[in-house]
Amino acid sequence: MSDTTVEKKADEPTVSPRAYTSGSQDEEVGIVDRAGGGRLHTDLRSRHMQMIAIGGAIGAGLFIGSGSALYKGGPAPLVIGYLIVGVMLLFTMQALAELAVLYPVNGAFYTYVVRFVDPSWGFAMGWDYAIAWLTVLPFELIAAGITIQFWRPDLNVAIWVTVFLVILTLIQIFGVRGYGEVEFILSMIKIAACTGFIILGIVIDCGGVGNQGYLGAKYWYDPGAFKNGFNGFAGVFVVAAFAFGGTELVGLAAAETAHPRKAIPMASKVFFRIAFFYIINLFILGLILPNTDERLASASGANSSYSPFVLAIQDAGISVLPSIFNAVITISVVSVANSCTFGSTRTMQAMAERGMAPRFLAYVDKAGRPIWCVVVQLVFGLLGYVGVASDGLDVFNWLLALSGLSYFFVWGSCCLAHIRFRLAWRKQGRSLREIPYRPPLGIWGSAIGLFLNIVCLIATFYNALYPTPDATPDVATFFQAYLAAPIAIALYLFWKIWSGDWRMWVKLSDIDLNAGARPLEIEDEDEIMEKKTWANLPLRIVRGLF
């Protein structure tokens, strides 16, 4: 939240229906008076932020979705595609870290897009992101139930949807601290599992376990490192985006972090952590499992029985570990479901506070919980029962399609917001020395991140038209892969029409750089920022990445 608050005038929140028109409006302060309500609590510590950054990107996308990516593209595109998205996230997260440290405000990247780019595009990105998390929650609940069927196929998945929904409801009682503690514990388990699989994978590849003998790089030669040409390569990006989704929650948690100036930069340096837990795991996976294995065709959604990690362990003849790893997958899915309740509720609350969502969603209770936003999210969790029903699966798949490209749009918008922030900062004569945290590549890193996001969107567009080399365009297939794009455009045009503001973007000279800002005092900058010399350049690069 901003340091400047709106004066309390009434007992109920009041919202202007025509906020963000061509007139001046402080996007940071918001336009809702939350009289009688509370504030979001700053209960997250550095250890929570670290685990949110690392563990937020480890879930079903890695443990299950990587199997379908391996089957479609082969081991080389699998590693290259995830690496490209990882590099893109490196620059995106560092851009977000600079903004979040300087402006640790509610709504984070949604607020930055509204303020530095355009209110209409911010409206589109805010709702696109909120809808993505709202629709992902029932999917994750079903996914958790399906993983239980690995042991108990006789029990209906709806039973477990109920159990996990109750667990999530109980977590919400403890507010943001409950979210942070649960993520801390679950992320530790996921990290231990990834580390253990790396060691096990090396042993399997060297022939130390099972009767497969020494494998080496056998499967990179036969059946080969690439499969289905460019179509297979392009198909990896959507899977990778879904897998990495959630890393940006670090920025969203800025407003509820006790020491954002220290915690956020540390948590945002995710590249080598992602390289370790993703790239090395996926590289080893491609060494010990052939991409022609027909079982991988079923490795999608929440079908943990066909997880490439579980299959590789089963092929090695290890009897106990498949069950242990399936338990890890269950924990990972619950972790993502926990993140759903945080990502959607904080975004909706911030939008309501600025008149871009129903005003009752702006309410925060005395315990720091956006209570009505939590209720909306949990109600969406009930859609899990629709997905369980055989005749409701198609409807559920279309709802899930809304989240397909949301992460690319959000990540690209973060980079664009950072670029325009830096341009406005320079145009208004401000010194870079006032910015508490500055990424090593600055505005150029965000330019690279934005470019890679556009490349991924183009590749995904091509793959939506031609999933395989011999495929012909199909309307249903295309929109299930690319539905988020027309939804984002429709939301953008809706707010343009509703607000009557047809500016393409906010002028650099009109951007308010002061509201909610926590800049450095110039005399204090030398004490905090390390002096840049050629001698310490390598060390600064390492610190910037780690």
Side-chain angles (χ1 to χ4, degrees):
M1 291 293 296
S2 168
D3 290 337
T4 306
T5 57
V6 180
E7 182 181 355
K8 297 182 178 181
K9 296 181 180 180
D11 293 332
E12 296 181 355
T14 55
V15 182
S16 168
R18 294 280 176 173
Y20 301 123
T21 56
S22 56
S24 61
Q25 173 69 45
D26 180 10
E27 291 86 355
E28 294 297 345
V29 173
I31 57 177
V32 173
D33 177 20
R34 292 181 288 103
R39 291 183 175 277
L40 296 175
H41 290 185
T42 55
D43 288 337
L44 291 176
R45 302 295 184 264
S46 181
R47 63 185 178 89
H48 298 132
M49 300 295 286
Q50 292 284 322
M51 290 303 157
I52 290 172
I54 300 174
I58 300 176
L62 171 64
F63 294 132
I64 302 176
S66 58
S68 64
L70 176 62
Y71 183 75
K72 293 175 182 178
L78 177 67
V79 174
I80 295 171
Y82 274 73
L83 184 61
I84 290 174
V85 177
V87 172
M88 180 176 70
L89 266 178
L90 165 68
F91 297 118
T92 301
M93 291 302 299
Q94 291 197 337
L96 185 57
E98 177 176 322
L99 293 173
V101 171
L102 184 59
Y103 301 100
V105 296
N106 189 19
F109 37 82
Y110 149 73
T111 304
Y112 305 145
V113 175
V114 167
R115 188 172 190 178
F116 301 124
V117 182
D118 175 57
S120 297
W121 188 245
F123 173 83
M125 289 301 95
W127 273 115
D128 201 35
Y129 188 73
I131 291 171
W133 282 121
L134 287 171
T135 54
V136 165
L137 177 61
F139 165 78
E140 297 296 341
L141 293 174
I142 295 174
I146 293 176
T147 60
I148 300 296
Q149 286 194 319
F150 184 85
W151 301 289
R152 293 295 305 270
D154 57 312
L155 296 179
N156 193 296
V157 174
I159 297 174
W160 302 110
V161 170
T162 303
V163 170
F164 290 118
L165 190 58
V166 170
I167 291 174
L168 286 178
T169 303
L170 293 175
I171 293 174
Q172 302 314 305
I173 295 175
F174 300 96
V176 70
R177 189 60 180 266
Y179 162 73
E181 294 297 348
V182 169
E183 279 303 292
F184 180 80
I185 295 171
L186 299 186
S187 295
M188 290 288 287
I189 296 173
K190 291 188 286 185
I191 290 169
C194 288
T195 306
F197 184 82
I198 291 173
I199 298 171
L200 177 63
I202 294 173
V203 173
I204 294 175
D205 190 58
C206 294
V209 178
N211 56 7
Q212 301 175 95
Y214 177 76
L215 295 176
K218 170 185 174 181
Y219 296 135
W220 281 63
Y221 294 98
D222 181 22
F226 293 87
K227 184 179 179 182
N228 291 328
F230 181 75
N231 304 75
F233 178 74
V236 173
F237 288 111
V238 175
V239 181
F242 186 80
F244 283 118
T247 310
E248 73 288 337
L249 287 172
V250 171
L252 199 62
E256 298 175 75
T257 305
H259 304 288
R261 184 169 292 183
K262 295 181 179 179
I264 294 174
M266 292 177 63
S268 68
K269 299 169 185 176
V270 298
F271 178 70
F272 280 104
R273 301 165 192 171
I274 289 174
F276 182 78
F277 295 117
Y278 265 83
I279 308 305
I280 297 179
N281 267 283
L282 295 175
F283 175 71
I284 291 176
L285 197 62
L287 293 177
I288 61 180
L289 204 62
N291 60 62
T292 53
D293 192 325
E294 291 298 327
R295 294 173 298 177
L296 294 175
S298 302
S300 61
N303 203 343
S304 61
S305 297
Y306 296 97
S307 162
F309 292 80
V310 173
L311 294 177
I313 296 171
Q314 288 176 336
D315 290 349
I318 304 174
S319 58
V320 179
L321 277 182
S323 289
I324 295 176
F325 217 90
N326 189 74
V328 172
I329 295 174
T330 305
I331 289 172
S332 301
V333 171
V334 173
S335 172
V336 175
N338 187 40
S339 296
C340 289
T341 60
F342 182 81
S344 64
T345 56
R346 270 54 181 184
T347 303
M348 288 189 294
Q349 194 275 334
M351 295 186 70
E353 200 168 56
R354 290 157 182 82
M356 292 185 172
R359 64 181 184 181
F360 72 92
L361 295 176
Y363 178 76
V364 177
D365 67 9
K366 300 297 184 181
R369 299 167 298 194
I371 198 69
W372 291 114
C373 295
V374 171
V375 170
V376 170
Q377 175 67 87
L378 294 177
V379 167
F380 263 80
L382 298 177
L383 290 175
Y385 298 110
V386 177
V388 170
S390 58
D391 57 348
L393 191 59
D394 288 338
V395 176
F396 185 71
N397 285 336
W398 279 103
L399 286 173
L400 194 59
L402 294 173
S403 65
L405 297 177
S406 297
Y407 298 116
F408 285 136
F409 282 116
V410 169
W411 296 337
S413 297
C414 287
C415 293
L416 179 60
H418 179 249
I419 292 171
R420 286 188 52 80
F421 157 73
R422 280 293 191 96
L423 293 176
W425 195 265
R426 182 176 63 182
K427 184 175 181 63
Q428 296 185 28
R430 304 291 292 269
S431 171
L432 290 179
R433 297 177 64 191
E434 296 179 71
I435 301 176
Y437 171 73
R438 303 193 295 270
L441 294 184
I443 193 173
W444 295 106
S446 294
I448 296 172
L450 178 60
F451 172 76
L452 291 177
N453 271 283
I454 294 173
V455 169
C456 290
L457 285 170
I458 294 172
T460 304
F461 180 84
Y462 178 82
N463 182 257
L465 290 174
Y466 305 100
T468 59
D470 57 347
T472 56
D474 178 74
V475 175
T477 302
F478 173 79
F479 279 106
Q480 278 204 349
Y482 225 76
L483 184 60
I487 292 296
I489 294 172
L491 289 169
Y492 171 76
L493 293 176
F494 168 78
W495 195 255
K496 283 292 184 187
I497 296 171
W498 177 259
S499 65
D501 180 7
W502 291 97
R503 297 175 300 171
M504 288 298 295
W505 48 71
V506 181
K507 291 182 179 180
L508 297 180
S509 57
D510 292 339
I511 292 176
D512 183 1
L513 297 175
N514 296 316
R518 298 183 185 179
L520 287 176
E521 297 293 337
I522 296 297
E523 58 268 20
D524 296 335
E525 193 264 353
D526 291 331
E527 299 178 7
I528 299 177
M529 303 298 293
E530 181 180 15
K531 186 177 181 180
K532 296 181 179 180
T533 65
W534 287 106
N536 64 19
L537 177 62
L539 183 60
R540 286 188 287 113
I541 292 176
V542 171
R543 287 176 179 171
L545 295 176
F546 282 104

